[in-house]
Amino acid sequence: MADSDLTEDDLSGAWEQALAESGAKPASAASGEAAEEERRNAQLAADASADRSLQQDEIDQLLGFSLDDNAIAGQTGIRALVDSTLVSYERLPMLEIIFDRLVRLLTTSLRNFFSDNVEVSIASLRSVRFGDYLTSIPLPAVLAVFKAQQWDNFGLVTLNSDLMYAVIDVLLGGRRGRGNVRAEGRPYTTIEINLVRRMVDVVLADTEQAFAPISRVDLTIDRMETNPRFASISRPANAAILVNLRVEMDGRGGNVEILLPYATIEPIRDLLLQSFMGEKFGRDPIWEEHLATEIWQTKMNVDAVLYDARLPLRQMLALRVGDTLLFDNKPDAMVKLRCGEMLLSEGRVGRIGDYVAVQVLTPLRRSRTTMSVFESKPGTRKDI
């Protein structure tokens, strides 16, 4: 057949047969696969937009970190697990009462000390690790290491540079209301440290009075340091209580921080667990006297037991009216005086007038537990 005799239909059929034999697909099938591929790409793009990356604040919230490092309470995530070893001061509710009392005492004492208007307030009260606190102290600063004599341990009083220069300025007669004056680039002189030491003495004296209703303690300055590395009084991982006090004096002032390791306040831990002042733990003399008075007026029943014996249950169930029980006692046998299950004494039965009486012949048997057991020191308890 000549080429001129082929129609368009014959040419189209020949091309489709050639494409089928060579493995190629017709245009209609290719366009269908392209549409399917486009649909899959659109789906992947939609999934990718759904799985967007987290923002920095969302990551911080997930991990439990916050820009405010002072906000220890209410942490979540990994940060909560990291700080879970710290003991919260809220477990020692009496500390808040003590430091509130300290604020009132310091306000009066510092007014008399500076002869100026002074306002003291609590900026924060939290638990910290000792090592973290030392590394967070802004320099320059003055650290006073003091010793609690009765508790046989140490604590820290830290004054930042703003408060240092405010104290020096006020004590040396500086003008009022001109703000903090700072001299940067030099260490503190001996005169400046001695002036600040006088203020630390006032703070420690008021701290003694604040703790006085709970426990007597004498706080004495052991040394003054300007480098936190030389003020180490505890292991870096140990927990401590940190109270931050804000001192304001006519536009001047700064922060004074008192740090007490938990090892320092351990001797009065039971007292700090009180919810209010005067709550009693252990012995209460007033209650003891009241209880002793009521016990002396208490009436009790005393039974005179002529004879007691153990009988088989079978014999007891076989008892009938008229049966006789034989007591293995002699006429002069002693009877037992009992109060409930407690054996008090022994005696003999007699008669006084028309009444049956018992003559007590053995001393009263006292309990082995007496008050001396509770008065003895721990580890030296003895049964009496």
Side-chain angles (χ1 to χ4, degrees):
M1 182 180 295
D3 293 339
S4 57
D5 297 333
L6 294 177
T7 63
E8 292 183 359
D9 293 338
D10 295 336
L11 290 175
S12 177
W15 275 105
E16 288 181 2
Q17 183 178 1
L19 290 175
E21 292 176 356
S22 62
K25 296 182 180 179
S28 59
S31 61
E33 286 191 358
E36 181 66 21
E37 184 68 20
E38 185 177 355
R39 187 184 64 80
R40 285 200 299 266
N41 291 337
Q43 183 65 29
L44 291 176
D47 295 341
S49 63
D51 297 336
R52 62 180 180 84
S53 60
L54 296 177
Q55 300 296 329
Q56 184 62 40
D57 56 348
E58 296 174 334
I59 296 175
D60 293 341
Q61 183 178 4
L62 176 64
L63 297 180
F65 289 91
S66 174
L67 295 178
D68 186 8
D69 292 335
N70 294 332
I72 299 298
Q75 291 179 350
T76 58
I78 297 177
R79 185 64 178 269
L81 296 178
V82 172
D83 293 334
S84 61
T85 56
L86 290 181
V87 181
S88 174
Y89 78 93
E90 294 177 353
R91 299 182 184 178
L92 304 174
M94 186 53 62
L95 279 178
E96 289 190 357
I97 300 177
I98 292 174
F99 288 127
D100 284 341
R101 176 181 169 87
L102 175 61
V103 167
R104 295 193 299 269
L105 293 173
L106 269 181
T107 301
T108 303
S109 299
L110 293 182
R111 284 176 182 174
N112 297 332
F113 179 71
F114 293 116
S115 299
D116 200 351
N117 186 26
V118 180
E119 295 293 336
V120 182
S121 59
I122 297 180
S124 64
L125 178 61
R126 56 194 177 97
S127 299
V128 296
R129 286 192 180 93
F130 182 74
D132 295 341
Y133 171 69
L134 286 186
T135 57
S136 66
I137 296 176
L139 297 179
V142 172
L143 296 88
V145 180
F146 65 87
K147 183 175 183 181
Q149 301 292 341
Q150 284 75 10
W151 303 339
D152 194 23
N153 217 316
F154 295 89
L156 280 181
V157 175
T158 305
L159 284 76
N160 63 358
S161 59
D162 291 339
L163 184 59
M164 277 280 302
Y165 291 114
V167 171
I168 295 170
D169 194 26
V170 171
L171 292 181
L172 296 182
R175 295 181 181 179
R176 298 183 179 181
R178 62 173 183 173
N180 292 331
V181 178
R182 304 181 61 177
E184 301 290 352
R186 64 170 180 84
Y188 296 118
T189 64
T190 303
I191 295 177
E192 292 172 343
I193 293 179
N194 287 335
L195 290 175
V196 174
R197 186 188 183 103
R198 292 179 55 191
M199 178 183 173
V200 174
D201 288 332
V202 174
V203 173
L204 294 181
D206 287 345
T207 305
E208 293 177 2
Q209 296 184 32
F211 277 96
I214 299 298
S215 173
R216 179 179 177 271
V217 61
D218 297 326
L219 305 179
T220 58
I221 296 179
D222 184 74
R223 62 187 185 274
M224 303 287 290
E225 300 288 352
T226 57
N227 192 334
R229 292 184 300 174
F230 301 139
S232 181
I233 59 174
S234 180
R235 294 186 177 182
N238 289 354
I241 292 293
L242 177 64
V243 56
N244 189 347
L245 303 177
R246 180 68 184 177
V247 181
E248 295 286 348
M249 299 177 290
D250 287 337
R252 295 171 291 187
N255 295 334
V256 53
E257 297 176 339
I258 302 176
L259 183 133
L260 295 173
Y262 274 94
T264 300
I265 59 177
E266 181 63 26
I268 60 170
R269 180 177 176 275
D270 291 341
L271 299 175
L272 296 178
L273 289 172
Q274 299 177 116
S275 299
F276 54 88
M277 197 75 70
E279 186 177 353
K280 295 294 183 180
F281 288 86
R283 292 183 56 184
D284 186 348
I286 299 177
W287 173 249
E288 287 179 1
E289 294 178 2
H290 173 71
L291 182 61
T293 302
E294 294 298 323
I295 288 177
W296 281 108
Q297 299 176 359
T298 302
K299 294 182 179 181
M300 54 181 292
N301 296 325
V302 178
D303 299 326
V305 182
L306 300 177
Y307 178 77
D308 58 352
R310 292 181 175 273
L311 299 177
L313 181 60
R314 178 175 53 190
Q315 183 178 351
M316 293 297 298
L317 295 177
L319 290 177
R320 297 291 184 268
V321 178
D323 291 347
T324 302
L325 294 176
L326 299 179
F327 292 170
D328 189 14
N329 274 1
K330 296 182 180 179
D332 57 347
M334 299 179 66
V335 298
K336 298 178 181 179
L337 300 179
R338 292 181 177 273
C339 179
E341 298 295 330
M342 179 66 66
L343 177 62
L344 300 179
S345 181
E346 294 178 340
R348 286 195 175 89
V349 179
R351 180 181 292 275
I352 298 179
D354 296 335
Y355 297 96
V356 177
V358 176
Q359 182 184 13
V360 178
L361 299 178
T362 60
L364 183 66
R365 297 188 179 183
R366 299 182 179 274
S367 173
R368 294 174 59 87
T369 303
T370 61
M371 291 306 300
S372 60
V373 174
F374 303 99
E375 294 171 353
S376 61
K377 296 181 180 180
T380 60
R381 174 173 175 174
K382 298 179 180 180
D383 291 332
I384 298 178

